[in-house]
C-alpha cells in the first residue's frame, strides 16, 4: 500500500492535487489545462457557456438534494434509484409494488405525476465578490462585517431580481466568504416518473453494500420534465408537453477502461475540507460517535421488523434508507479519518500556519487560530445538544415530529379562526396525517422509542452543559397519545373547538416535542447562530491567510452549487494487501446472490438472464460491466450526477463512494478515495433486455 509520509501531506491536503476538488464550471481556468492534459477533449465553453448551449444545460439539481441529467430532446432524465426513491415508494402499494417489481410507463400517458418534485437548471453564474465585500475593512468586528454583508446582499438581490424577474437567484459564499457568486436558476415543477428498476436491481446489496466496493447496484431511475407550450415552467397539467432542453447528453456504450479521463458534473452538497483540528476533533470524538450510537438503535429495530413483514418493509423503506445512509457513512468516515491520521495532519498544518504568522507580512493572522480554538471550545456542547435533539426528533420515533405539525393549530387556534383559516389548516393537517399513517406502524414506533429514550437521556445528561432543563426525559405512554391511533385523531379533528385543542395540547408526545423544540428555538439556535457568525468571520480570515501563506489552486467546499470533478477511471488500494479493480461485472451479482444474504436476493428472471449471459448488445468480451470507480472527488448531492468521458458523453451515473472514501468530505486521500458509478451499459441492459422498455431508447442519442 502506498502511504504518503505525514510531512509530505501537510501542504498537499491544503493546496489541491489534480484529482482532489470540485471546481466551479464558470471559473474553470485554474484547472482547464490540467483537465486537458488528463485527456479532456472539450473546450471550457463546451462545459459551461452562459450565452450558448453547453453541457451544463443537461444537468439539473434533482429534488433539492440530488443531481439528474437529461438524455433526450424530450426531457427524459436519469438520476439514481435512491434519489427517485420517495416517489417510487409514494406510488407503491401492496397491489402495485413498484419497489419490489419496478415500474415502466408504456406510453407518456402512463407516466406518473410526482407532486412536490422539482428540477433546477443553472442559467448563469456571476462573480459578485467585490459587490458583496464592498466596504468591509480588516478592523471591523464580526457583527459589523455581518451587518454589511447582509446590506450588500440585499442590494444585490434587489438588482438581480429587477433585471431577471422570472429567474430564481442564489447568492452563495465560497471559501468562507473569500468569494461570492450570484447564481441564476430556472425551476421546473412538473416532473413525472417514467421508469424504475425493481429493488433487486436499483437497491441490490441494500445496506450490506451501501458505501461499499465492489458494488453491483443498478442505482438509477428515469423521469421526464414537462413544460408549457412555450417550453417554460408550469405547474402540473394534462396540457403540459415534454420539455426540450438546450442540450441533452449522448450516451456512449463503447465502455470505459482503467486510465480513461472521467468527470462528474453535478451538485455536490457539502464538504468541509478546510476545517480546523478543533472542529475535526469534535466531529470524530464526540459528534459522530453520538449519532452512530443513536441510529444503531433505530436501525436494529427496523431491520428486524422489515425482514419479518412485507407490509412493514414497504411502509418503512424510505425511512430506513434515510436513517441508515448517513449512519453508515459516519462509520466509514471514522475509520478513514483515523487511519489517515486526519487530526494529526490538521494539527501539524496549524503549527505551520502559526509559524508563518511570525513573519511580519502575516502577523495580521496571528489571532486567527487562538480565536477559533476558543470559539469551538465554547460552542461544541451546544452543537452536541443540537444534533442530539435532531437525532431524537427527526430520526428516531416519529410521533414527536408528527405531533409537532399541529403546533400552529394548537398555539394559534383563535387567530386562525378569526382569520377564517381554520378549515384550510385542518384540511392540510388531515391530508398530511393520511400520508403519515399510510407508512406508520405503532409497534415499530414503540420498539424504536423504547430503545432510544434511555440512550437519549444518558447522552443528554452527559453532554457537559449545566444551563438547560431536561426535556422529554420521562418515558412516555403511547396508549395515552391520541397520535398513536389514526381513528381517534380523525375523530378528534372532526370536532374543532376548545376541547380538541386542550386534548391535543396535553398529549404526551406533543407536549414533549413542544418542550424540546421550544428549548431548541429559545436557547440553542440563537446561541449556536451567534457562535457560527463569529466562526464564519474567523474562518474567512483563516482561509484568506492560508491562501496567502501557501499559494495554490484552492477549490471551494461543496455548497450545493454546480461543480465539475475530474480524474480517471481508477481502482484503489484501500488497505495493506488489498487492491480494488475499477469495475465489476454481472458475475458478481450471482456470486453475491449465492451467499444467501437477503440483501442480495434476486428473482428467477434476473438470475436466469444472468446465468444465460444474455447481455444483448451491452456485453463486451463475454462480460456485462455493472459498476466502475474513478478518482472523481464527489460527495452527497452528487448522487445521480452524470459520469462523462473526455467528449462529454454519458458513460455512467454516479451514486456512491467506497466506504474508505467517505472521509473525503473532510480530507481527501488521492490513493484511496474513489467514487462509484453504475455503468451506462448496465443501465441500458436493464431498460432494454431485462424490462423490455426498449421504446425509451428510441429517444436517446446512443453512440455505439
Ligand atoms: N450516496 C451519496 C448520495 O446519496 C453520494 C456520495 O456521498 O458519494 O448523495
Amino acid at each position: 500500500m502506498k502511504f504518503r509520509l505525514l510531512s509530505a501531506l501537510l501542504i498537499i491536503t491544503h493546496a489541491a492535487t489534480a484529482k482532489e476538488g470540485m471546481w466551479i464550471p464558470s471559473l474553470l481556468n485554474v484547472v482547464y489545462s490540467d483537465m486537458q492534459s488528463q485527456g479532456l477533449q472539450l473546450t471550457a465553453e463546451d462545459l459551461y457557456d452562459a450565452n450558448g448551449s453547453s453541457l451544463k444545460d443537461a444537468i439539473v439539481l434533482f429534488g433539492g438534494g440530488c443531481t439528474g441529467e437529461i438524455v433526450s430532446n424530450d426531457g427524459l432524465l436519469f438520476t439514481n434509484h435512491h434519489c427517485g426513491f420517495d416517489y417510487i415508494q409514494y406510488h407503491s402499494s401492496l397491489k402495485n409494488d413498484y419497489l419490489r417489481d419496478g415500474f415502466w410507463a408504456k406510453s407518456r400517458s402512463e407516466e406518473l405525476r410526482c407532486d412536490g418534485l422539482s428540477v433546477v437548471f443553472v442559467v448563469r453564474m456571476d462573480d459578485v465578490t467585490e459587490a458583496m465585500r464592498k466596504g468591509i475593512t480588516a478592523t471591523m468586528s464580526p457583527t459589523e462585517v455581518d451587518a454589511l454583508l447582509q446590506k450588500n446582499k440585499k442590494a444585490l438581490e434587489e438588482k438581480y431580481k429587477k433585471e431577471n424577474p422570472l429567474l430564481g437567484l442564489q447568492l452563495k459564499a465560497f471559501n468562507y466568504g473569500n468569494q461570492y457568486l450570484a447564481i441564476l436558476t430556472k425551476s421546473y415543477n412538473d416532473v413525472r416518473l417514467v421508469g424504475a428498476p425493481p429493488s433487486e436491481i436499483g437497491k441490490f446489496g441494500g445496506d450490506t453494500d451501501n458505501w461499499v466496493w465492489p458494488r453491483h447496484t443498478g442505482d438509477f431511475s428515469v423521469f421526464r420534465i414537462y413544460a408549457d407550450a412555450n417550453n417554460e415552467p408550469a405547474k402540473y397539467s394534462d396540457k403540459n408537453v415534454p420539455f426540450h432542453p438546450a442540450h441533452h447528453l449522448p450516451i456512449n456504450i463503447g465502455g470505459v477502461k482503467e486510465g480513461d479521463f472521467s468527470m462528474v458534473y453535478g451538485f455536490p452538497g457539502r464538504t468541509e475540507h478546510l476545517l480546523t483540528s478543533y472542529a475535526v476533533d469534535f466531529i470524530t470524538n464526540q459528534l459522530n460517535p453520538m449519532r452512530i450510537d443513536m441510529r444503531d438503535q433505530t436501525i436494529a429495530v427496523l431491520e428486524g421488523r422489515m425482514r419479518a413483514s412485507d407490509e412493514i418493509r414497504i411502509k418503512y423503506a424510505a425511512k430506513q434508507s434515510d436513517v441508515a445512509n448517513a449512519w453508515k457513512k459516519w462509520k466509514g468516515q471514522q475509520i478513514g479519518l483515523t487511519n489517515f491520521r486526519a487530526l494529526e495532519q490538521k494539527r501539524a498544518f496549524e503549527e505551520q500556519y502559526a509559524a508563518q504568522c511570525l513573519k511580519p507580512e502575516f502577523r495580521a493572522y496571528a489571532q486567527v487560530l487562538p480565536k477559533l480554538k476558543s470559539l469551538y471550545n465554547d460552542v461544541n456542547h451546544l452543537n452536541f445538544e443540537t444534533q442530539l435533539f435532531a437525532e431524537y426528533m427527526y430520526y428516531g420515533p416519529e410521533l414527536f415530529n408528527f405531533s409537532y405539525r399541529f403546533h400552529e393549530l394548537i398555539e394559534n387556534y383563535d387567530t386562525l379562526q378569526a382569520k377564517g383559516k381554520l378549515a384550510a389548516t385542518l384540511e392540510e393537517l388531515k391530508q398530511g396525517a393520511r400520508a403519515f399513517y399510510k407508512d406508520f406502524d405503532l409497534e415499530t414506533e414503540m420498539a424504536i422509542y423504547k430503545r432510544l429514550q434511555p440512550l437519549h437521556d444518558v447522552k443528554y445528561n452527559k453532554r457537559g452543559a449545566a444551563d438547560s432543563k431536561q426535556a422529554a426525559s420521562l418515558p412516555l405512554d403511547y396508549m395515552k397519545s391520541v397520535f398513536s391511533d389514526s381513528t381517534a385523531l380523525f375523530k378528534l379533528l372532526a370536532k374543532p373547538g376548545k376541547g380538541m385543542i386542550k386534548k391535543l395540547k396535553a398529549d404526551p408526545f406533543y407536549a414533549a416535542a413542544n418542550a424540546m423544540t421550544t428549548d431548541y428555538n429559545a436557547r440553542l439556535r440563537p446561541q449556536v447562530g451567534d457562535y457560527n457568525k463569529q466562526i464564519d468571520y474567523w474562518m474567512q480570515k483563516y482561509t484568506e491567510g492560508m491562501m496567502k501563506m501557501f499559494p495554490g489552486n484552492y477549490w471551494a467546499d461543496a455548497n450545493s452549487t454546480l461543480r465539475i470533478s475530474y480524474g480517471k477511471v481508477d481502482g484503489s488500494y484501500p488497505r495493506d494487501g488489498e487492491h480494488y479493480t475499477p469495475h465489476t461485472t454481472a458475475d458478481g451479482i450471482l456470486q453475491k446472490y449465492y451467499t444467501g444474504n437477503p440483501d442480495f436476493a434476486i428473482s428467477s428472471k434476473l438470475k436466469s438472464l444472468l446465468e444465460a449471459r444474455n447481455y444483448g448488445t451491452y456485453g463486451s468480451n463475454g462480460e456485462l460491466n455493472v459498476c466502475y470507480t474513478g478518482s472523481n472527488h464527489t460527495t452527497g448531492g452528487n448522487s445521480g450526477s452524470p459520469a462523462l468521458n473526455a467528449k462529454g458523453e454519458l458513460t455512467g451515473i454516479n451514486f456512491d463512494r467506497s466506504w474508505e472514501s467517505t472521509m473525503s468530505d473532510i480530507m481527501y486521500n488521492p490513493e484511496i478515495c474513489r467514487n462509484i458509478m453504475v455503468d451506462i451499459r448496465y443501465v441500458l441492459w436493464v431498460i432494454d433486455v431485462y424490462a423490455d422498455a426498449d421504446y425509451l431508447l428510441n429517444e436517446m442519442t446512443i453512440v455505439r
Side-chain angles (χ1 to χ4, degrees):
M1 177 152 117
K2 296 178 259 168
F3 251 138
R4 286 159 190 255
L5 287 176
L6 180 65
S7 57
L9 276 161
L10 296 179
I11 301 300
I12 288 164
T13 50
H14 290 277
T17 65
K19 291 164 197 159
E20 174 178 349
M22 303 172 179
W23 305 95
I24 301 168
S26 58
L27 302 166
L28 273 186
N29 50 334
V30 286
V31 283
Y32 179 68
S33 61
D34 188 46
M35 290 175 85
Q36 269 187 316
S37 69
Q38 303 247 1
L40 176 69
Q41 294 176 29
L42 301 171
T43 64
E45 290 71 35
D46 292 333
L47 295 171
Y48 171 94
D49 188 349
N51 303 311
S53 84
S54 60
L55 277 185
K56 85 153 169 50
D57 300 314
I59 324 284
V60 293
L61 176 69
F62 179 90
C66 279
T67 303
E69 56 275 6
I70 303 182
V71 293
S72 90
N73 192 38
D74 278 344
L76 198 70
L77 175 153
F78 283 164
T79 186
N80 289 149
H81 184 264
H82 78 265
C83 295
F85 196 82
D86 284 357
Y87 298 94
I88 306 167
Q89 189 211 13
Y90 175 79
H91 288 292
S92 288
S93 60
L94 275 175
K95 192 162 148 259
N96 289 321
D97 193 342
Y98 299 145
L99 288 176
R100 191 191 57 204
D101 305 329
F103 166 77
W104 300 98
K106 296 264 175 304
S107 65
R108 296 203 175 155
S109 63
E110 283 182 18
E111 295 175 358
L112 296 173
R113 152 181 194 172
C114 297
D115 287 340
L117 177 60
S118 63
V119 296
V120 182
F121 289 87
V122 168
V123 176
R124 201 174 89 217
M125 305 168 94
D126 296 345
D127 192 320
V128 290
T129 312
E130 230 181 276
M132 271 300 287
R133 295 197 61 82
K134 197 169 153 201
I136 293 176
T137 62
T139 53
M140 281 180 170
S141 71
T143 324
E144 286 167 334
V145 170
D146 186 58
L148 201 48
L149 284 173
Q150 296 309 327
K151 191 173 151 230
N152 292 346
K153 186 174 179 198
K154 202 161 163 247
L156 269 171
E157 275 168 354
E158 277 165 15
K159 172 179 164 283
Y160 269 95
K161 278 279 150 206
K162 211 163 139 200
E163 290 166 6
N164 309 278
L166 297 177
L167 297 181
L169 171 72
Q170 298 171 0
L171 272 172
K172 292 259 193 180
F174 294 75
N175 274 326
Y176 293 93
N178 284 292
Q179 186 164 33
Y180 286 88
L181 295 187
I183 303 168
L184 289 157
T185 61
K186 201 178 216 185
S187 304
Y188 285 78
N189 304 316
D190 184 355
V191 183
R192 304 183 195 171
L193 178 62
V194 174
S199 294
E200 65 169 348
I201 290 172
K203 212 174 173 338
F204 178 80
D207 282 324
T208 307
D209 266 10
N210 193 17
W211 303 110
V212 164
W213 185 258
R215 192 65 163 276
H216 301 85
T217 316
D219 195 346
F220 76 95
S221 55
V222 189
F223 288 78
R224 190 186 305 281
I225 307 170
Y226 280 80
D228 69 11
N230 299 318
N231 211 28
E232 290 299 320
K235 60 176 196 287
Y236 177 88
S237 154
D238 287 350
K239 300 206 173 59
N240 286 348
V241 292
F243 165 75
H244 302 304
H247 181 74
H248 71 268
L249 299 176
I251 299 176
N252 188 315
I253 58 167
V256 293
K257 56 178 194 319
E258 187 158 16
D260 281 355
F261 176 84
S262 161
M263 67 183 162
V264 170
Y265 205 154
F267 291 86
R270 184 182 161 122
T271 57
E272 300 180 292
H273 80 295
L274 296 180
L275 284 185
T276 58
S277 65
Y278 326 121
V280 174
D281 188 6
F282 171 68
I283 293 170
T284 52
N285 291 319
Q286 292 188 55
L287 185 62
N288 278 352
M290 177 276 282
R291 302 195 283 200
I292 291 167
D293 277 4
M294 292 287 282
R295 291 194 188 197
D296 278 346
Q297 309 304 319
T298 307
I299 283 162
V301 172
L302 288 179
E303 268 177 5
R305 293 192 58 80
M306 287 169 75
R307 213 155 266 174
S309 145
D310 270 358
E311 195 188 338
I312 306 283
R313 175 182 58 77
I314 295 176
K315 283 183 179 214
Y316 281 85
K319 168 154 181 151
Q320 198 273 351
S321 299
D322 258 16
V323 176
N325 193 41
W327 164 79
K328 196 161 174 190
K329 180 180 81 170
W330 294 325
K331 285 184 157 186
Q333 212 173 56
Q334 290 291 92
I335 297 169
L337 292 173
T338 309
N339 287 347
F340 202 33
R341 291 178 290 164
L343 200 49
E344 285 168 54
Q345 290 193 52
K346 289 278 177 188
R347 285 185 183 136
F349 176 76
E350 283 155 17
E351 272 173 31
Q352 291 196 2
Y353 190 103
Q356 291 284 320
C357 291
L358 299 175
K359 296 183 181 162
E361 66 269 35
F362 300 131
R363 215 160 270 158
Y365 299 100
Q367 293 187 69
V368 172
L369 281 168
K371 283 278 184 200
L372 282 167
K373 185 175 183 180
S374 108
L375 284 166
Y376 276 110
N377 195 33
D378 294 344
V379 77
N380 280 347
H381 74 92
L382 297 169
N383 276 331
F384 184 89
E385 270 190 78
T386 303
Q387 292 307 320
L388 182 61
F389 160 73
E391 285 301 316
Y392 201 36
M393 181 93 180
Y394 302 108
Y395 294 96
E398 293 183 285
L399 281 202
F400 289 134
N401 187 21
F402 175 60
S403 61
Y404 195 73
R405 292 192 203 167
F406 292 74
H407 179 73
E408 169 78 358
L409 175 77
I410 296 170
E411 302 302 325
N412 297 320
Y413 183 80
D414 291 337
T415 323
L416 288 170
Q417 198 168 36
K419 287 190 176 161
K421 289 188 177 162
L422 186 59
T425 307
L426 272 167
E427 196 37 52
E428 208 176 296
L429 284 167
K430 282 187 206 164
Q431 238 183 49
R434 272 179 222 115
F436 173 79
Y437 287 118
K438 176 178 171 280
D439 295 333
F440 178 75
D441 170 68
L442 184 60
E443 249 183 80
T444 307
E445 163 82 7
M446 283 164 61
I448 293 172
Y449 178 75
K450 200 165 157 201
R451 291 178 76 136
L452 220 48
Q453 182 265 335
L455 184 72
H456 166 266
D457 290 2
V458 168
K459 294 201 178 292
Y460 188 89
N461 291 327
K462 277 201 194 143
R463 75 207 183 284
D467 59 346
S468 75
K469 280 197 225 99
Q470 173 63 288
S473 70
L474 294 174
L476 304 173
D477 186 350
Y478 275 87
M479 295 310 130
K480 291 196 177 134
S481 172
V482 70
F483 296 102
S484 296
D485 176 357
S486 61
T487 318
L489 180 67
F490 278 101
K491 220 165 133 189
L492 186 66
L493 297 179
K495 284 200 194 119
K498 294 271 183 255
M500 173 190 83
I501 295 301
K502 202 168 153 205
K503 185 130 196 235
L504 288 174
K505 193 167 187 163
D507 187 276
F509 278 89
Y510 173 74
N514 193 27
M516 284 191 287
T517 311
T518 306
D519 180 50
Y520 167 72
N521 284 331
R523 183 177 63 88
L524 288 174
R525 197 166 61 168
Q527 287 191 73
V528 170
D530 281 351
Y531 276 112
N532 282 347
K533 258 183 218 159
Q534 295 183 60
I535 289 175
D536 284 350
Y537 173 90
W538 291 104
M539 280 303 288
Q540 184 271 324
K541 291 198 183 302
Y542 176 56
T543 312
E544 182 186 87
M546 193 187 293
M547 289 167 161
K548 288 186 184 159
M549 294 170 199
F550 310 102
N553 275 354
Y554 283 83
W555 62 277
D557 268 317
N559 56 0
S560 293
T561 58
L562 193 58
R563 304 294 181 96
I564 296 176
S565 312
Y566 68 96
K568 301 248 179 217
V569 174
D570 205 358
S572 63
Y573 295 83
R575 270 171 295 280
D576 189 32
E578 270 185 52
H579 176 214
Y580 286 159
T581 58
H583 73 272
T584 57
T585 69
D587 287 339
I589 299 177
L590 292 170
Q591 283 167 13
K592 284 179 175 173
Y593 164 76
Y594 290 129
T595 64
N597 178 335
D599 279 344
F600 302 128
I602 54 172
S603 61
S604 52
K605 177 181 173 185
L606 181 58
K607 185 164 161 272
S608 46
L609 283 172
L610 296 182
E611 278 176 346
R613 305 184 92 76
N614 180 352
Y615 299 153
T617 52
Y618 306 101
S620 59
N621 305 324
E623 311 264 32
L624 177 62
N625 284 38
V626 176
C627 292
Y628 66 101
T629 56
S631 51
N632 304 297
H633 192 178
T634 55
T635 186
N638 270 126
S639 275
S641 298
L644 303 160
N645 64 13
K647 294 181 179 157
E649 295 160 340
L650 189 68
T651 52
I653 306 173
N654 182 76
F655 70 95
D656 211 2
R657 283 168 285 166
S658 65
W659 216 31
E660 298 79 12
S661 312
T662 54
M663 64 173 158
S664 68
D665 290 350
I666 291 176
M667 196 175 271
Y668 186 84
N669 179 339
E671 308 288 343
I672 287 181
C673 293
R674 296 292 174 266
N675 65 313
I676 304 179
M677 299 151 277
V678 52
D679 195 300
I680 209 65
R681 289 170 292 176
Y682 185 57
V683 171
L684 294 196
W685 178 83
V686 172
I687 295 177
D688 183 356
V689 180
Y690 173 87
D692 279 331
D694 48 327
Y695 48 88
L696 287 174
L697 305 188
N698 298 337
E699 59 181 292
M700 301 176 196
T701 307
I702 296 178
V703 184
R704 286 182 191 266

